[in-house]
Amino acid sequence: QKEVEQDPGPLSVPEGAIVSLNCTYSNSAFQYFMWYRQYSRKGPELLMYTYSSGNKEDGRFTAQVDKSSKYISLFIRDSQPSDSATYLCAMSFTGGGNKLTFGTGTQLKVEL
Amino acid sequence: GAVVSQHPSRVICKSGTSVKIECRSLDFQATTMFWYRQFPKKSLMLMATSNEGSKATYEQGVEKDKFLINHASLTLSTLTVTSAHPEDSSFYICSGFRDTEAFFGQGTRLTVV
């Protein structure tokens, strides 16, 4: 079993739709949870960063962490064609030397 | 956000030659940097942790003599792929941490012919 599981997609939605992206994990030591957006042939760009359980909102993006279920989500409201990219979840824990464990990434396409 | 600059963005080299990739933190000091490798439509796989002033720490299965890492200053880490072979062709990405947030370089697409 992989430490972090993420549906690779591809996920195709119409413009304006609400997108839900998810990751599950097995290591209960993870405390820091991140979502990155990666455009083709570019480095990942940090979108959201949360610590422990709870919700965090930033514009059209909302990140949720449920540590009891070992489940994290990223919601994108009013999706735009420019949101088309691969979305990677990543996790780390204190004492882990800042090492990130990534999901496989979900490829999202927002169509006009 | 913080800026990590990676160079070159793309390189093509002949089999058997060596290639150096640079990773610079432009607006913060990084005592530690991380080097990843990413295959098409796959996630980032950590190759090694670069430590300023000391030896790098390699992940299991990564050949340290093939992927030489040097972290000579707080703002520069380099990855040298030695005696490159076509199977080394991949997308290489570095990252550095500012506080608890990781910032990534633009990536280097290496093609070995």
Side-chain angles (χ1 to χ4, degrees), chain B residues 58 62-69 80-83:
Chain B
Y58 291 82
V62 178
E63 298 176 58
K64 61 180 182 181
D65 294 330
K66 181 164 188 63
F67 298 100
L68 297 179
I69 290 173
T80 301
V81 182
T82 63
S83 187

Side-chain angles (χ1 to χ4, degrees), chain A residues 59-77:
Chain A
R60 296 185 296 112
F61 299 91
T62 300
Q64 290 185 350
V65 175
D66 182 348
K67 289 194 71 179
S68 63
S69 301
K70 298 189 182 68
Y71 186 88
I72 69 170
S73 300
L74 176 71
F75 297 96
I76 306 174
R77 290 183 298 281

Side-chain angles (χ1 to χ4, degrees), chain A residues 29-41:
Chain A
F30 286 133
Q31 298 169 289
Y32 303 94
F33 304 91
M34 289 136 278
W35 285 95
Y36 288 87
R37 178 174 61 196
Q38 186 178 23
Y39 292 111
S40 181
R41 302 184 181 184

Side-chain angles (χ1 to χ4, degrees), chain B residues 17-37:
Chain B
T17 61
S18 296
V19 173
K20 180 186 283 189
I21 303 170
E22 292 187 349
C23 181
R24 294 180 185 274
S25 56
L26 298 184
D27 57 355
F28 66 99
Q29 293 183 328
T31 56
T32 303
M33 285 187 170
F34 298 88
W35 287 95
Y36 295 85
R37 183 172 179 175

